[in-house]
């Protein structure tokens, strides 16, 4: 039984050692920074990475091959839940000796006379790609990269994919006025996200251990220590006494007394300055 299948009633306070979290991810997405946090925060729960194509990602979630996935939007919200994480810069991949290599960025209009490749696994969701279309669409992005290297056209794609398919004879430039790819965390739709999915949501959203949700957060409820006590445990010094109550004097500084009769404004003279006698 995986962590996503366990019910709260028969689950321990923290995920059991036999639990596992399976995370699918599409090309270009790098989950390593979140995996490191997971390993530190849930060392007893293995996280298995599943590399899938953009076309395979949603099927992996629907058939239970993965508990959650780092995918590219859009997501069919009828049976999948998703939270957007970030938006990628779109770039155009070109040969290093291409005219565009001298520019810092390129606009969609600049591609008007270029043959722009549009692979079948494109992730930008064009209504109409810029430039001149090729006679045939390349099967994959990798195939399109090979064509660019051969001097056959240019290719627009998310920056992470340009880095993934890096070649010494190619470069890329930021492409403006075009669609951008958005990366999201997705999982099978339900009234409430499974505990391990909720744990990962907390990690990608930057929640701290104490603010994250799920079983571990429930187990920590009522166990928070005062800040002074936590600091003393780290430094080895005894915790400081709490603040004095209202009206008490602080150490080394006598409280100023105020004169004035009952019902007065409280602006009487302070002690230490005798009144003048008439």
């Amino acid at each position: 039984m995986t962590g996503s299948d366990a019910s709260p009633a028969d689950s321990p306070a923290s995920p059991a050692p036999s639990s596992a979290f399976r995370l699918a991810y599409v090309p270009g997405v790098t989950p390593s920074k979140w995996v490191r946090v997971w390993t530190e925060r849930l060392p007893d729960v293995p996280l298995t990475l599943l590399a899938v194509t953009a076309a395979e990602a949603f099927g992996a979630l629907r058939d239970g091959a993965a508990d959650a996935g780092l995918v590219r939007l859009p997501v069919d919200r009828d049976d999948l839940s998703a939270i957007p994480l970030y938006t990628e810069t779109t770039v155009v991949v070109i040969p290093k000796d291409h005219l565009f290599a001298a520019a810092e960025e390129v606009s969609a209009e600049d591609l008007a006379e270029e043959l722009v490749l549009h692979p079948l696994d494109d992730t930008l969701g064009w209504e109409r790609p810029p430039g001149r279309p090729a006679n045939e669409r390349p099967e994959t992005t990798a195939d399109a990269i090979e064509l660019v290297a051969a001097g056959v056209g240019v290719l627009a794609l998310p920056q992470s994919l340009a880095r993934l398919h890096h070649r010494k004879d190619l470069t890329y430039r930021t492409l403006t006025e075009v669609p951008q790819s958005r990366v999201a965390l997705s999982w099978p739709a339900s009234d409430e996200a499974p505990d391990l999915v909720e744990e990962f949501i907390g990690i990608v959203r930057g929640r701290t251990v104490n603010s994250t949700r799920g079983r571990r957060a429930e187990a920590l409820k009522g166990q928070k220590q005062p800040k002074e006590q936590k600091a003393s445990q780290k430094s080895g010094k005894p915790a400081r006494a709490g603040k004095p109550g209202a009206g008490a004097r602080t150490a080394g500084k006598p409280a100023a007394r105020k004169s004035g009769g009952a019902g007065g404004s409280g602006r009487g003279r302070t002690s230490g300055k005798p009144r003048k006698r008439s």
Side-chain angles (χ1 to χ4, degrees):
M1 179 179 290
T2 65
S4 59
D5 296 325
S7 63
D10 56 14
S11 299
S14 60
S18 59
S19 300
F21 182 66
R22 300 160 303 164
L23 179 68
Y25 67 100
V26 297
V29 176
T30 307
S32 55
K33 62 180 179 180
W34 296 315
V35 172
R36 284 195 298 270
V37 177
W38 178 281
T39 303
E40 295 169 359
R41 199 171 289 185
L42 293 90
D44 54 342
V45 184
L47 189 154
T48 302
L49 291 174
L50 177 63
V52 295
T53 66
E56 296 170 339
F58 301 120
L61 297 176
R62 291 187 175 106
D63 64 20
D67 299 304
L70 295 168
V71 302
R72 295 184 185 276
L73 294 176
V75 170
D76 186 347
R77 301 300 182 111
D78 289 340
D79 59 350
L80 295 173
S81 298
I83 52 172
L85 299 179
Y86 58 89
T87 300
E88 284 202 67
T89 299
T90 301
V91 301
V92 58
V93 176
I94 53 176
K96 279 194 171 180
D97 59 356
H98 195 283
L99 179 65
F100 291 159
E104 291 186 3
E105 61 181 32
V106 180
S107 70
E109 290 183 1
D110 294 330
L111 300 180
E113 300 303 319
E114 297 287 333
L115 189 151
V116 180
L117 301 169
H118 188 204
L120 295 176
D121 63 355
D122 174 75
T123 60
L124 293 175
W126 303 94
E127 289 186 9
R128 182 180 178 184
R132 298 183 295 109
N135 292 331
E136 293 184 10
R137 296 180 62 180
E139 191 75 21
T140 66
T141 296
D143 293 335
I145 290 288
E146 292 293 333
L147 290 173
V148 176
V152 182
V154 300
L155 174 64
L157 75 177
Q159 184 171 321
S160 67
L161 288 178
R163 290 173 175 169
L164 178 66
H165 295 284
H166 171 72
R167 291 177 52 126
K168 292 183 178 179
D169 54 347
L170 301 180
T171 186
Y172 60 83
R173 293 294 181 266
T174 299
L175 186 59
T176 62
E177 304 170 10
V178 294
Q180 293 178 306
S181 176
R182 292 190 297 160
V183 174
L185 176 67
S186 182
W187 63 94
S190 60
D191 292 337
E192 185 175 349
D195 288 318
L196 292 179
V197 173
E198 193 63 65
E199 294 283 358
F200 196 77
I201 292 173
I203 289 173
V204 298
R205 283 185 163 175
R207 295 178 193 152
T208 63
V209 175
N210 291 336
S211 65
T212 193
R213 303 171 189 172
R215 277 180 287 179
R216 296 176 72 87
E218 290 296 324
L220 289 173
K221 282 185 178 180
Q223 298 181 17
K224 292 184 179 180
Q225 297 174 327
K227 292 182 179 179
E228 293 85 355
Q229 185 175 346
K230 289 181 181 179
S232 67
Q233 289 176 347
K234 291 182 180 179
S235 63
K237 297 179 181 180
R240 295 183 301 173
K243 293 183 179 180
R249 299 185 181 185
T250 57
K253 292 185 179 181
R257 290 181 298 174
K258 297 181 180 181
S259 60
S265 64
R267 295 183 181 177
R269 305 187 184 197
T270 58
S271 59
K273 292 185 180 181
R275 296 182 180 179
K276 294 182 181 180
R277 294 184 179 179
S278 55

